[in-house]
Amino acid sequence: MHPSELLLAISKQKQEIKFSMRLKRESQRFTQLLYNALFDSETEADKTLIELEDLFLVIRNLACPEIVGKPCKTWEDFTQVIPELFCSLKKDAQAIFENDPAARSLEEIYLAYPGFFAIAIYRMAREFFKLKLPLIPRLMTEYAHQLTGIDIHPGASIGNSFFIDHGTGIVIGETAEIHDNVRIYQGVTLGALTVKKGLQNSKRHPTIGDNVTIYANATILGGTTIIGENSVIGGNAWIISSVENNSIVLHSPETQIIKNPNNQDE
């Protein structure tokens, strides 16, 4: 292809699908700076909040070009809920500390636990999602996803004292509802049973009741699926229908141990 033809093709493509990678980069910077402002003792909160407001206007204008230059109430709305965010995240950190025998201190959880980082970014993004800010909440949780392997849609509803251990491979869909004191381990999927575009505005993901524990690699699907409170879902379970309160669900595959004839004991 001649260079002029290639440039013409690229130009046409950019006209058809218009977006700026700067929005993604600046959203990631905004997300990390916000986390640091709230939790890092060496980050000066007063100066950082001013920088965050300026950066927020940049990403808002990129995400919503139709309102460039207009007053922005969204940032003020977000700052009003920061004390409530602190309260929720302290409960999450405490839940991790109380449930994980490997946790030695709350400082370790804030610094070294991917589950806490993913939950914190989700809760921040959730506030912007509730304010109907487009795209940016998804970019915030996708940043956490890239760093932790934990994929939480900002549209999901998650209650108090949420505990994620290890976390890699967890997927929590947009319409999932997770109540209080829920514990989830790596590889868990709270997903949709049927993936159709026509279901976009319906509840597609399960509801998890209070005090439920879901062990590694369990898959729970469907908008009408409810896991009753105080239940335990064993590892590798596949669930597409509701489970009553106080249930234990186990996946029991057959395991065979066969002696290797080439390694006979002498």
Side-chain angles (χ1 to χ4, degrees):
M1 180 179 288
H2 190 276
S4 62
E5 294 176 328
L6 177 58
L7 289 173
L8 182 62
I10 292 173
S11 177
K12 182 179 179 181
Q13 167 69 13
K14 288 185 175 181
Q15 289 176 358
E16 291 176 355
I17 304 176
K18 295 183 178 180
F19 69 92
S20 170
M21 287 300 294
R22 184 186 175 204
L23 173 58
K24 184 171 184 176
R25 291 193 304 271
E26 297 291 53
S27 293
Q28 291 178 346
R29 187 162 72 92
F30 172 81
T31 302
Q32 186 64 61
L33 192 60
L34 180 57
Y35 186 88
N36 292 352
L38 298 186
F39 294 106
D40 177 27
S41 60
E42 295 186 356
T43 298
E44 298 182 41
D46 53 349
K47 295 180 180 178
T48 306
L49 285 172
I50 294 171
E51 183 180 354
L52 279 166
E53 182 173 9
D54 292 340
L55 184 53
F56 177 78
L57 285 174
V58 170
I59 59 177
R60 185 211 68 164
N61 290 343
L62 287 169
C64 313
E66 70 280 2
I67 59 172
V68 172
K70 294 183 179 179
C72 179
K73 190 169 180 290
T74 309
W75 175 250
E76 295 175 7
D77 290 334
F78 175 76
T79 57
Q80 294 299 312
V81 302
I82 287 178
E84 185 179 339
L85 268 175
F86 276 138
C87 182
S88 293
L89 290 170
K90 285 179 181 178
K91 291 178 181 179
D92 296 325
Q94 190 64 35
I96 293 171
F97 182 73
E98 291 175 357
N99 284 281
D100 186 1
R104 304 302 183 199
S105 66
L106 288 173
E107 289 79 10
E108 181 182 1
I109 290 164
Y110 285 114
L111 285 169
Y113 274 63
F116 179 79
F117 183 80
I119 293 167
I121 301 308
Y122 153 77
R123 293 205 188 277
M124 296 173 195
R126 171 72 174 164
E127 296 303 324
F128 289 118
F129 183 86
K130 290 191 291 186
L131 293 168
K132 301 188 184 303
L133 188 69
L135 195 53
I136 292 170
R138 284 300 309 275
L139 292 172
M140 292 176 69
T141 54
E142 182 55 28
Y143 175 63
H145 182 198
Q146 290 176 25
L147 294 179
T148 66
I150 299 168
D151 185 2
I152 308 177
H153 194 288
S157 175
I158 299 178
N160 291 321
S161 301
F162 185 41
F163 169 46
I164 289 178
D165 197 11
H166 304 296
T168 306
I170 285 176
V171 177
I172 300 175
E174 178 184 17
T175 63
E177 295 180 28
I178 300 175
H179 292 190
D180 297 339
N181 304 308
V182 171
R183 296 164 292 280
I184 293 183
Y185 291 79
Q186 68 271 17
V188 167
T189 297
L190 305 181
L193 182 59
T194 302
V195 181
K196 294 180 180 179
K197 195 65 175 179
L199 299 175
Q200 183 174 16
N201 296 317
S202 62
K203 190 178 187 311
R204 308 182 303 281
H205 307 94
T207 297
I208 311 300
D210 292 341
N211 308 309
V212 169
T213 299
I214 308 174
Y215 283 105
N217 299 313
T219 298
I220 305 173
L221 305 178
T224 61
T225 300
I226 300 172
I227 305 301
E229 61 186 39
N230 306 312
S231 293
V232 176
I233 308 301
N236 297 306
W238 175 275
I239 299 174
I240 58 173
S241 59
S242 293
V243 172
E244 294 182 358
N245 294 350
N246 307 302
S247 296
I248 298 176
V249 179
L250 300 176
H251 174 67
S252 302
E254 182 181 357
T255 300
Q256 294 183 333
I257 301 176
I258 302 173
K259 191 173 181 65
N260 188 342
N262 297 321
N263 289 310
Q264 296 286 347
D265 293 336
E266 296 184 358

